[in-house]
Amino acid sequence: EAQVTQNPRYLITVTGKKLTVTCSQNMNHEYMSWYRQDPGLGLRQIYYSMNVEVTDKGDVPEGYKVSRKEKRNFPLILESPSPNQTSLYFCASSLRSRTSRLSGELFFGEGSRLTVL
Amino acid sequence: RKEVEQDPGPFNVPEGATVAFNCTYSNSASQSFFWYRQDCRKEPKLLMSVYSSGNEDGRFTAQLNRASQYISLLIRDSKLSDSATYLCVVNGETSGTYKYIFGTGTRLKVLA
């Protein structure tokens, strides 16, 4: 089954304790992205990756890191979480077209609800 | 001005009603357009892509107006199960990079 898998789905942690949210897709997609969703603000892009070893900042990258060592995995790292990073996080992936334009459907993981105390 | 704007609603409609949502976008170079559906606390899922000539999928019709830079979604014969948030998504180039840009969503409540 084609899917994007995120872990953990729920996490409560404390300020400053490093954590990683994993994301894996089995569709051989080049494009992967992380979003956070907060009430009234919609989905905001944190980081994205156009392919292996190619990552770039989205709209709200502060406090986050990512890596893309393999095509299928795109982990999100919070080196020193703070309460303002309490949010619902989504990983998504998409196929790039031959023209290198992103025109395809974005597939989302089920989301990771993070609470930082 | 936001890159993609939607009326947040909520739109409260009775079962069987027809309801329409609009979404405007600011980047005239936008390439692809989508409507996603999101249920509370769940991941967004593709409802339909929006094509230049307009397209229909059952009770759902999507339209694109490039000249006025808006897309629309029409839902006919609303069902209780249509209650959700509908996200407008635009894909386009910003500073040499293609990205997906999301509206904040329009909430729909279909009432019995």
Side-chain angles (χ1 to χ4, degrees), chain A residues 100-113:
Chain A
S100 296
R101 292 179 178 176
L102 298 174
S103 58
E105 176 184 355
L106 258 182
F107 291 83
F108 284 85
E110 292 183 299
S112 297
R113 185 164 292 279

Side-chain angles (χ1 to χ4, degrees), chain B:
Chain B
R1 182 186 173 188
K2 289 182 182 177
E3 292 182 88
V4 176
E5 292 202 68
Q6 296 181 251
D7 182 340
F11 284 60
N12 297 322
V13 302
E15 265 188 296
T18 295
V19 61
F21 308 136
N22 283 337
C23 164
T24 59
Y25 60 94
S26 61
N27 186 350
S28 59
S30 297
Q31 300 289 327
S32 307
F33 309 87
F34 309 90
W35 284 103
Y36 276 72
R37 172 195 168 125
Q38 186 176 25
D39 294 293
C40 188
R41 297 172 182 262
K42 301 274 194 177
E43 75 274 24
K45 292 185 178 177
L46 181 68
L47 178 66
M48 56 199 304
S49 301
V50 186
Y51 303 120
S52 296
S53 54
N55 47 301
E56 189 174 304
D57 183 1
R59 298 181 293 108
F60 300 86
T61 300
Q63 297 278 354
L64 167 63
N65 185 319
R66 284 192 183 271
S68 300
Q69 295 181 205
Y70 76 84
I71 67 173
S72 63
L73 177 68
L74 183 78
I75 305 175
R76 290 182 298 278
D77 188 23
S78 299
K79 312 290 185 192
L80 293 175
S81 57
D82 293 334
S83 297
T85 296
Y86 291 84
L87 303 174
C88 171
V89 184
V90 173
N91 169 254
E93 185 177 1
T94 302
S95 302
T97 303
Y98 284 90
K99 59 189 292 187
Y100 297 87
I101 303 165
F102 290 79
T104 52
T106 298
R107 275 185 66 201
L108 171 66
K109 289 185 179 180
V110 181
L111 308 171

Side-chain angles (χ1 to χ4, degrees), chain A residues 1 3 5 8 10-11 13-14 20 23 25-26 32 46 48 53-55 60 75 80 92-94 96 103 112 114 117:
Chain A
E1 181 189 353
Q3 59 186 7
T5 304
Y10 302 92
L11 179 63
T13 189
V14 295
T20 298
C23 174
Q25 49 92 6
N26 63 0
M32 296 186 74
I46 302 170
Y48 64 96
E53 301 291 0
V54 181
T55 63
V60 288
S80 183
S93 71
S94 176
R96 286 177 65 177
S103 58
S112 297
L114 171 65
L117 302 175

Side-chain angles (χ1 to χ4, degrees), chain A residues 12-69:
Chain A
I12 300 174
T13 189
V14 295
T15 299
K17 186 175 181 182
K18 180 179 178 180
L19 68 93
T20 298
V21 186
T22 63
C23 174
S24 180
Q25 49 92 6
N26 63 0
M27 294 168 280
N28 203 34
H29 285 171
E30 291 90 351
Y31 180 86
M32 296 186 74
S33 183
W34 276 102
Y35 300 88
R36 61 177 288 174
Q37 188 172 37
D38 303 288
L41 297 176
L43 278 156
R44 295 181 292 167
Q45 190 177 49
I46 302 170
Y47 269 94
Y48 64 96
S49 170
M50 298 294 276
N51 215 325
V52 176
E53 301 291 0
V54 181
T55 63
D56 212 341
K57 296 177 181 178
D59 300 314
V60 288
E62 295 79 19
Y64 305 94
K65 289 172 65 175
V66 293
S67 68
R68 188 88 182 275
K69 293 185 170 59

